[in-house]
Amino acid sequence: MEEMEEELKCPVCGSFYREPIILPCSHNLCQAGGRRASGSAVSDYDYLDLDKMSLYSEADSGYGSYGGFASAPTTPCQKSPNGVRVFPPAAPPPPAALAPPPGMCEQCDVFYCDPCRLRCHPPRGPLAKHRLVPPAQGRVSRRLSPRKISTCTDHELENHSMYCVQCKSPVCYQCLEEGKHSSHEVKALGAMWKLHKSQLSQALNGLSDRAKEAKEFLVQLRNMVQQIQENSVEFEACLVAQCDALIDALNRRKAQLLSRVNKEHEHKLKVVRDQISHCTVKLRQTTGLMEYCLEVIKENDPSGFLQISDALIRRVHLTEDQWGKGTLTPRMTTDFDLNLDNAPLLQSIHQLDFVQMKVSSPVPAPPILQLEECCTRNNSATLSWKQPPLSTVQVEGYILELDDGNGGQFREVYVGKETMCTVDGLHFNSTYSARVKAFNKSGVSPYSKTLVLQTSEDTQSEEQTLPFPVPLERSQLRRMSPFSSTLNLQPSFSGRSYFELRSSAHQLSLHSSLQSLNSAGCNFDTQGSPYSQLVDIKKMVAVAWFSFDPSSAHADIIFSNDNLTVTCNSYDDRVVLGKTGFSKGLHYWELSIDRYDNHPDPAFGVARLDVLKDAMLGKDDKAWAMYVDNNRSWFMHNNSHTNRTEGGITKGATVGVLLDLTRRTLTFSINEDQQGPVAFENLEGLFFPAVSLNRNVQVTLHTGLPVPEFYASRSAMP
């Protein structure tokens, strides 16, 4: 490109050609450079008369070289026989100049400077016979001699008068009569001269257009250089801003995590200090009792000693039993059980790259729902889809969307590569709309056709294959009874589910998303208060089966029996949650006591997903529980103990938990008898079944149970 730029510059003025002209020595100048090159030398030339200008006129060619200098506008420039205008040479250099004087070829009738003569008129081949004379002699010869007409090389006495089309050369009459051109097609020399001049002129015009386009292209490239520099600065600033935003987000998350660590630190210190205080008081009491007993033993009066000895013996045994209930075991470990899972984030950082802004591949076609494989069972739905048979567009994944079961807004429930998804824990007796779309690097496809799914009314329904097609129009839903709202969406394959509840750094955000989906559009019309008249509450409960969730439980929890039985390998209380969360309806489950050693205090109830997992259930504000030993029970929330009730548990006992989210209450029972009053009221939100226990307890979960008689009879009262 740089070499091309040099070729497009005038050697005189150094700028790009403006109105270029062609010199007879094959040099090029722009018009302004020609003026400077000519100078005063114009007046030194005596030009030929132009009586026969029509013979060499350029008017018939359509192409002009140069019309003259501004310094001598009325003086025409000299012309060579080929019709190209010849610039008058510059004034002769001073004697000290190194440049040799120019010469003139009599046959070509062209003046040459020495470098151009050597390059354009070398003394070899046909040019070797040409005669070169000094410029002064050439000027005299031009004045005195008439303009020469070229003669035939084979017949020196004959002038060229015709043009052989086949040989593409001028010929004379004698060549046509005697020579090798006798059988060739010939045309008039003047006509062919004008024709070729016209063709050359047209070719020059095309070349001139290309030169003009090249000049404009160079301007465009220079503008691109400037634009690239500006865009680079702008893009670098944008990249720095994006990276700074990521760093700020990481710093904010770091502060949040440090806050959690500090809370864990304060919690551990509080538990240990409380245990220190409690143990100190008991030790002081024990020491005082021991000192008193030693003084009593020193008593020499048998009757006086025997009056208090029985009471002291019982008190000593009772005190000893109190020390034996795990009092001398630390309630808190020194280790921090928080484990930061930063591997996904590091992987994302390593994979951070620029996205190709423009791609040529098309977006995928809308997926096709496979109706024969789509079905519902109880409060679960299975959906299957595929790409159109003739589609050749590559698909990177699919996005499955469901509404809230009440005609509300669609939300993404799965993003992944698989083509089948099972959604568990939907509302009972509800109608859902589902749709799916595909995506690749080019974009997202249109949605598939919308599929309407109807969940079961009760738990006795067998697997149902939906009748299709299902009309999209549906009447206003009017639910006459509470319904389950579990929304424990879990895909039956690897992939990403927005509502798959896992113990991770994103747990709280997923929990919030789940709550928003679970609460949106869940209003129902009971046509009057359902409790202002006698109703059968057993018909109102929407039963759900679930098990304990290993993914959200503390690491010390031990699972067995298909995650229905749990115990612990630690002396400290550890929390385990159920897999299913509830926000609507009436739900009842039981826990049977399989093992009960050393009189521990297990706790039963409900909790939020982000409850503390390394403390007794109810110690924080994320859990509502009843903890119980072998003699009595207490209700506890946010470390507040209330409603001490006589009656405890032993091996083989059954603890019942009744969550009524219609009345927003929580009630407990032991061995099918209600334990204490209604434990908690005004409950609202998403709750998961929860248990806290240590290694001295093992329990088994029983779900899908009817409401106990004590609650059903109480609810049936006017």
Side-chain angles (χ1 to χ4, degrees), residues 342-490:
N342 61 346
L345 180 59
L346 289 176
Q347 183 179 4
S348 299
I349 292 176
H350 290 314
Q351 294 177 348
L352 186 64
D353 203 348
F354 299 106
V355 178
Q356 188 175 359
M357 300 303 295
K358 295 181 180 180
V359 292
S360 57
S361 59
V363 298
I368 298 176
L369 287 166
Q370 302 190 85
L371 304 183
E372 65 278 5
E373 298 185 14
C374 298
C375 61
T376 61
R377 179 188 176 118
N378 294 336
N379 62 336
S380 300
T382 298
L383 297 103
S384 177
W385 58 88
K386 64 180 180 180
Q387 277 296 104
L390 300 180
S391 177
T392 58
V393 180
Q394 183 179 4
V395 175
E396 295 186 0
Y398 300 93
I399 301 174
L400 176 63
E401 296 183 357
L402 259 68
D403 67 357
D404 58 3
N406 199 31
Q409 184 178 1
F410 280 90
R411 289 176 174 84
E412 295 179 3
V413 296
Y414 172 74
V415 177
K417 296 182 178 180
E418 301 297 334
T419 57
M420 178 174 288
C421 179
T422 297
V423 183
D424 295 323
L426 301 175
H427 301 300
F428 285 98
N429 192 24
S430 299
T431 304
Y432 286 87
S433 294
R435 63 187 184 184
V436 65
K437 57 184 177 181
F439 64 88
N440 60 13
K441 291 183 179 179
S442 300
V444 181
S445 74
Y447 285 104
S448 66
K449 293 183 179 180
T450 302
L451 178 66
V452 178
L453 304 167
Q454 176 68 46
T455 55
S456 304
E457 295 184 359
D458 52 49
T459 61
Q460 303 301 321
S461 301
E462 296 296 331
E463 183 173 300
Q464 303 172 358
T465 301
L466 294 179
F468 297 106
V470 178
L472 293 181
E473 298 79 17
R474 52 190 182 183
S475 59
Q476 178 68 29
L477 300 177
R478 308 180 75 84
R479 298 179 175 89
M480 298 304 296
S481 61
F483 54 92
S484 171
S485 176
T486 57
L487 276 179
N488 183 25
L489 305 182
Q490 299 193 8

Side-chain angles (χ1 to χ4, degrees), residues 117-270:
R117 177 177 58 80
L118 295 176
R119 180 169 59 86
C120 302
H121 200 289
R124 60 178 178 268
L127 299 179
K129 298 180 181 181
H130 290 195
R131 181 168 177 263
L132 299 177
V133 297
Q137 183 179 349
R139 289 195 292 270
V140 173
S141 299
R142 277 193 170 183
R143 293 192 187 97
L144 300 178
S145 301
R147 186 173 300 276
K148 294 181 180 180
I149 301 177
S150 62
T151 59
C152 179
T153 56
D154 295 332
H155 309 90
E156 296 182 356
L157 300 178
E158 296 292 334
N159 295 332
H160 287 146
S161 58
M162 303 296 289
Y163 180 82
C164 179
V165 177
Q166 182 174 348
C167 298
K168 297 183 179 180
S169 64
V171 295
C172 64
Y173 283 106
Q174 193 171 352
C175 292
L176 296 178
E177 294 177 356
E178 303 174 357
K180 59 182 179 180
H181 303 282
S182 59
S183 60
H184 294 174
E185 179 186 0
V186 294
K187 291 187 177 181
L189 184 65
M192 291 304 297
W193 175 46
K194 291 187 177 181
L195 176 62
H196 281 208
K197 287 180 65 177
S198 175
Q199 292 175 350
L200 178 60
S201 175
Q202 293 176 2
L204 288 175
N205 286 334
L207 184 60
S208 176
D209 293 338
R210 299 291 83 78
K212 182 178 180 182
E213 292 175 359
K215 180 179 178 181
E216 295 175 352
F217 179 66
L218 287 173
V219 174
Q220 179 183 356
L221 291 179
R222 291 191 178 92
N223 293 336
M224 287 181 61
V225 171
Q226 180 66 22
Q227 190 65 37
I228 289 173
Q229 293 175 345
E230 296 176 357
N231 291 344
S232 175
V233 173
E234 181 180 355
F235 187 78
E236 288 178 3
C238 181
L239 178 62
V240 171
Q242 289 177 317
C243 292
D244 290 343
L246 292 176
I247 295 173
D248 292 340
L250 185 60
N251 287 331
R252 288 194 299 269
R253 188 58 181 166
K254 173 184 174 182
Q256 295 172 358
L257 295 175
L258 288 175
S259 176
R260 290 182 58 186
V261 172
N262 292 333
K263 288 182 180 179
E264 181 73 6
H265 168 252
E266 296 296 332
H267 172 69
K268 286 181 176 291
L269 289 180
K270 184 177 183 302

